[in-house]
Amino acid sequence: MTKQAQAIRDVQDFGEEGGVVPVIDIASTSTFLDPLDMEKTFHGDLQGCYLYSRHSNPTVNAFGRKFAALENMEAALGVSSGMAAIASSIEQLVPHGGHIVSSRTVYGGTYAFFKNVLPKRGVRVTFVDTDDLRAVENAIEPNTKIIFTETLSNPLLRIAPLKELSDLKKKYGLQLVVDNTFTPLIISPADFGADVVIHSCTKYISGSSDMIAGVVTGSKDFIQSLIDVNSGVVMLTGPVMDAKIAHELYLRLDHLPIRMAAHSKSAAFLATRMEDLGIPVIYPGLKSHEHHTLMSSMMNEGYGHGGMIAIDCLTSTQAMNLASQLQKVRFGLYAVSLGFSRTLMSCPSVSTSSEIPADEQKEMHLSPGLLRLSVGYTGDDEVLWRRFKDCYQQLLK
Ligand SMILES: *Cc1c(COP(=O)(O)O)cnc(C)c1O
């Protein structure tokens, strides 16, 4: 068993009568036996009392403890979505007039938030290739507060050199904020010096495409600052996690290690077969991938190179035709998102990355015909491969 799987397992909470799983504490408000304690709690003079569930909730806290163990961080806070995790962290860390250096190849929603919403809040963002360390350093300004990057970028599957970015943030007194949605367990950004690590729990953490949720991990002080009664962005703008969702995710974390290994195993199988057939395939587990060695040097043992594959079909029409055919033969589903038990397929240039203007898509080498696969872990790899191969050869060869 790997270090992360053990850390998750060792967080142990019981039900009220000794049940092997904790109960869901659904109360929105908590009783104070001594009215004076409520007054002290509001003034911040008394810690550890449950007050109101927008501030803190026992079930959401239990999920936070388990998630902090997973990310090797001091603390974690469940929130209502991945975007809430990103937006709240940034609002808490970057004041009006502040500046962010961000990777250019971020999730489309993040890109649109940075480009269209943050300027209205007086925060500017400079986009760079985060694997070009000189470009990152050149973009740093006196008002820069954070460097933002995804560990494994979407949809081009490039790896951010977290250790080197961390050296830079130390040199300039910044914070390194990492979106680790694509690589839970596989890479632990905290081990390379990340200050804040966020996830969209909607994806692999949920694993069932049945909820929207997110999480922020970081130092105890930072997580506490998010729920401060007088200045916490999560407390005061309200994108908290519901206790019922927290309970679901708490239980699912136990089998995340098995699921991640299974996603990676099937993805590696398919990517290898695709490459053997001469298909232009991007998968960091392949030696042909530019960042194969870098990723391998940063990975935790036992979870593989992840479940995401991208193949270049040259035009979006060809990508969509292939996906449509693949859906008919039950290879996968044409849907955005990732981390589901079955394979999900989408064409980023006309969907999740469509917020990025065409000329910028070109600049970042995002082919209009890229088909992104989030490889599931159900079904027989050999059967699925045969279905893929038949469709591909019919349509694109
Ligand atoms: C989906 C996703 C998000 C946004 O998460 P939501 O839960 O949909 O708000 C952020 N970053 C990455 C990398 C994602 O894939």
Side-chain angles (χ1 to χ4, degrees):
M1 195 188 274
T2 61
K3 191 179 77 179
Q4 287 74 17
Q6 189 66 44
I8 294 171
R9 185 201 170 277
D10 286 346
V11 175
Q12 188 159 272
D13 297 280
F14 294 102
E16 272 177 7
E17 311 293 341
V20 295
V21 292
V23 292
I24 314 178
D25 200 327
I26 55 172
S28 59
T29 186
S30 299
T31 321
F32 282 79
L33 294 178
D34 182 346
L36 286 176
D37 284 346
M38 186 187 285
E39 193 180 350
K40 283 188 210 153
T41 299
F42 266 96
H43 287 151
D45 298 333
L46 184 65
Q47 302 292 323
C49 282
Y50 287 104
L51 176 69
Y52 184 63
S53 280
R54 176 155 44 75
H55 175 252
S56 97
N57 167 281
T59 309
V60 178
N61 285 1
F63 168 70
R65 283 196 301 278
K66 206 157 167 171
F67 208 95
L70 184 163
E71 276 298 5
N72 202 9
M73 281 283 196
E74 271 178 25
L77 177 67
V79 290
S80 60
S81 69
M83 286 315 301
I86 294 169
S88 308
S89 302
I90 282 170
E91 198 154 18
Q92 196 71 37
L93 290 169
V94 187
H96 196 276
H99 174 254
I100 295 169
V101 178
S102 168
S103 162
R104 198 153 53 152
T105 54
V106 286
Y107 176 70
T110 308
Y111 182 86
F113 173 71
F114 283 0
K115 194 150 184 168
N116 305 327
V117 178
L118 282 184
K120 290 195 275 188
R121 300 182 183 172
V123 173
R124 286 176 312 108
V125 182
T126 303
F127 293 98
V128 294
D129 286 329
T130 36
D131 51 354
D132 181 351
L133 294 167
R134 192 172 299 165
V136 175
E137 187 158 18
N138 285 342
I140 295 172
E141 302 176 6
N143 281 344
T144 304
K145 301 295 174 199
I146 67 176
I147 299 175
F148 183 95
T149 191
E150 289 171 9
T151 313
L152 183 63
S153 79
N154 175 35
L156 293 169
L157 310 177
R158 297 174 69 81
I159 283 284
L162 296 179
K163 169 76 178 57
E164 289 73 15
L165 290 173
S166 182
D167 291 343
L168 270 183
K169 68 100 187 176
K170 275 184 213 140
K171 182 171 165 190
Y172 291 94
L174 316 175
Q175 306 262 313
L176 178 60
V177 180
V178 179
D179 180 340
N180 202 29
T181 299
F182 276 37
T183 43
L185 295 168
I186 295 173
I187 290 177
S188 305
D191 294 353
F192 303 98
D195 300 286
V196 175
V197 177
I198 71 96
H199 283 261
S200 165
C201 297
T202 312
K203 316 293 169 53
Y204 288 111
I205 312 301
S206 139
S208 293
S209 292
D210 62 339
M211 61 174 71
I212 299 283
V215 68
V216 184
T217 74
S219 69
K220 256 194 190 113
D221 284 350
F222 177 64
I223 297 304
Q224 203 55 41
S225 77
L226 289 169
I227 56 162
D228 186 277
V229 185
N230 295 306
S231 60
V233 169
V234 173
M235 171 65 183
L236 299 175
T237 64
V240 290
M241 179 178 274
D242 186 85
K244 290 168 197 160
I245 296 283
H247 189 259
E248 280 282 339
L249 290 173
Y250 179 98
L251 299 181
R252 292 180 199 188
L253 284 182
D254 279 350
H255 40 73
L256 181 67
I258 298 169
R259 289 189 279 118
M260 289 314 296
H263 280 292
S264 291
K265 187 169 157 283
S266 292
F269 176 90
L270 288 174
T272 307
R273 295 290 169 105
M274 288 172 186
E275 190 169 62
D276 289 348
L277 206 68
I279 298 172
V281 53
I282 302 173
Y283 182 65
L286 294 172
K287 288 207 175 70
S288 58
H289 190 281
E290 195 189 336
H291 287 166
H292 176 72
T293 313
L294 176 63
M295 181 164 182
S296 302
S297 74
M298 291 167 66
M299 271 165 35
N300 295 313
E301 218 175 297
Y303 306 108
H305 288 80
M308 303 302 292
I309 295 178
I311 52 178
D312 192 353
C313 306
L314 303 175
T315 68
S316 57
T317 310
Q318 293 201 109
M320 287 189 274
N321 284 345
L322 175 61
S324 175
Q325 197 56 35
L326 286 169
Q327 179 160 254
K328 282 192 194 120
V329 300
R330 302 203 177 179
F331 171 84
L333 302 162
Y334 193 66
V336 293
S337 199
L338 53 133
F340 188 38
S341 51
R342 294 187 226 175
T343 296
L344 299 178
M345 306 175 285
S346 63
C347 184
S349 71
V350 291
S351 59
T352 45
S353 296
S354 60
E355 287 93 342
I356 305 172
D359 54 330
E360 277 179 59
Q361 289 194 20
K362 200 165 175 190
E363 214 180 306
M364 58 200 252
H365 305 293
L366 180 71
S367 162
L370 207 67
L371 183 67
R372 187 183 86 172
L373 306 180
S374 164
V375 179
Y377 55 84
T378 49
D380 182 322
D381 286 341
E382 291 282 0
V383 171
L384 292 169
W385 165 243
R386 274 201 297 278
R387 291 179 188 176
F388 181 91
K389 191 172 106 182
D390 289 347
C391 291
Y392 189 89
Q393 287 182 329
Q394 240 168 40
L395 289 167
L396 288 165
K397 275 236 155 139

